[in-house]
Amino acid sequence: MTMSAEPTSANPTLTARIKKSFRSPEREFSLDVGFSAAPGFTILFGASGSGKSATLRAIAGLDRPDSGRIVVDGRVLFDSARGIDVPARMRSVGYLFQDYALFPHLTVEDNVAFPVNPWWRRRPAREVAKRIRDLMDIFEIGSVAQSYPWQISGGQRQRVGLARTLIRKPAILLLDEPFAALDPLLRIRMRQELLNTQWLFKVPMLAITHDPEDVSVLAETVVVLNQGRVEKTVDVKIAPYRDGDGRVSEGSIRELLMGMDKAGPPLLPRKTIRAVK
């Protein structure tokens, strides 16, 4: 097992050190995380309220940390000490929201095209139009190009969201619980499609989830968050989580995530089940 509070990589896609305090009349929460993500698929795992979404939003530039440093693909996006804070639209960071955030008044084609050709422009340039068509073909949504988001399935909406996010060729793709809106059977298929997308586009992905099945299928590295802190980082490409042929040991991963790993406290709370008479 490989663990560290702040892993290093020879060429990390992402290095983040983020501190931010949140206050409301009901609650105070302090986020203080530091980790690196190598090329491939990294999962931020933790219970609800552990700071996963806050971390993703800070990397994307949607929320400004109180202090810290964020570097993506060698480019400094945020550095409080140096006064650097690159606007979200200029970060080359793709963000797929949990509900995909498609524009309901735009067709599938116009949604995909929006980042490079907003709907108020008359026509995209020839090379842009070709990239739009190519992406719709890759994600098999060309047949619904003139449909609206409410007219297509959940899986198709996710593909539209992915195509729209990838059209600007981001340096990293952030995914906020990408399967939360899907039924269990569709999640199985979309996990494989997401792996295919990562392989095809060679784009590093950082996803958040609290579903152990996502970790088993997708993760190469797992960063476990607990109450706003990085509790551990685990390389799950190696034994005991995968064998020499790369096959997943679901039991070992579930043991890790459910707190049966003796190296630390339970990562997910276990509820006491009482018999009902």
Side-chain angles (χ1 to χ4, degrees):
M1 184 187 306
T2 302
M3 297 183 188
S4 67
E6 200 165 344
T8 59
S9 170
N11 294 292
T13 296
L14 164 71
T15 303
R17 182 69 177 147
I18 300 166
K19 291 187 178 183
K20 186 174 178 62
S21 296
F22 300 85
R23 293 181 178 85
S24 69
E26 299 80 21
R27 176 180 189 227
E28 289 189 7
F29 178 77
S30 176
L31 182 70
D32 186 354
V33 299
F35 65 95
S36 295
F41 212 119
T42 301
I43 291 277
L44 287 183
F45 183 87
S48 296
S50 60
K52 303 186 302 297
S53 291
T55 300
L56 233 62
R57 290 179 63 84
I59 295 168
L62 303 178
D63 286 334
R64 189 180 193 277
D66 297 332
S67 64
R69 192 167 190 264
I70 300 169
V71 182
V72 172
D73 200 25
R75 181 177 173 224
V76 179
L77 304 183
F78 179 82
D79 190 324
S80 56
R82 296 166 59 191
I84 298 173
D85 187 10
V86 176
R89 67 183 183 279
M90 299 173 64
R91 289 197 175 198
S92 191
V93 171
Y95 194 112
L96 185 65
F97 292 89
Q98 188 176 127
D99 62 357
Y100 317 131
L102 302 180
F103 298 110
H105 62 292
L106 299 184
T107 65
V108 164
E109 183 174 9
D110 288 339
N111 265 286
V112 173
F114 188 85
V116 291
N117 192 73
W119 62 271
W120 57 80
R121 292 183 185 169
R122 294 185 63 185
R123 286 186 179 179
R126 181 177 299 177
E127 63 274 14
V128 174
K130 182 179 185 304
R131 180 158 177 77
I132 294 168
R133 290 195 302 271
D134 288 346
L135 276 171
M136 288 196 296
D137 287 343
I138 289 170
F139 287 100
E140 299 181 353
I141 51 176
S143 62
V144 295
Q146 299 310 310
S147 300
Y148 291 89
W150 56 272
Q151 295 175 313
I152 60 179
S153 70
Q156 288 171 323
R157 285 194 293 272
Q158 186 181 74
R159 291 185 203 139
V160 175
L162 282 168
R164 185 180 67 181
T165 304
L166 291 168
I167 198 165
R168 295 188 68 177
K169 301 180 181 179
I172 189 170
L173 179 58
L174 311 179
L175 303 106
D176 185 351
E177 298 203 44
F179 310 114
L182 306 179
D183 64 65
L185 289 178
L186 187 53
R187 289 182 192 185
I188 296 172
R189 176 181 174 186
M190 295 312 296
R191 286 187 188 105
Q192 187 57 53
E193 290 199 8
L194 197 56
L195 283 175
N196 293 342
T197 299
Q198 201 281 324
W199 176 84
L200 182 62
F201 289 90
K202 303 296 188 290
V203 58
M205 295 186 181
L206 176 65
I208 64 176
T209 186
H210 53 256
D211 185 344
E213 192 66 23
D214 293 342
V215 179
S216 295
V217 176
L218 300 172
E220 296 175 64
T221 303
V222 180
V223 180
V224 179
L225 297 190
N226 186 11
Q227 298 182 9
R229 305 293 188 272
V230 175
E231 188 165 273
K232 61 175 69 176
T233 298
V234 183
D235 183 349
V236 294
K237 300 188 302 297
I238 58 176
Y241 308 108
R242 281 179 171 80
D243 64 19
D245 296 321
R247 289 188 292 264
V248 175
S249 171
E250 293 187 8
S252 294
I253 288 179
R254 286 186 176 276
E255 285 181 9
L256 166 73
L257 300 178
M258 299 305 292
M260 298 175 197
D261 182 0
K262 305 305 181 186
L267 306 182
L268 292 178
R270 293 178 182 155
K271 296 181 179 180
T272 301
I273 300 175
R274 287 189 263 179
V276 179
K277 295 182 179 179

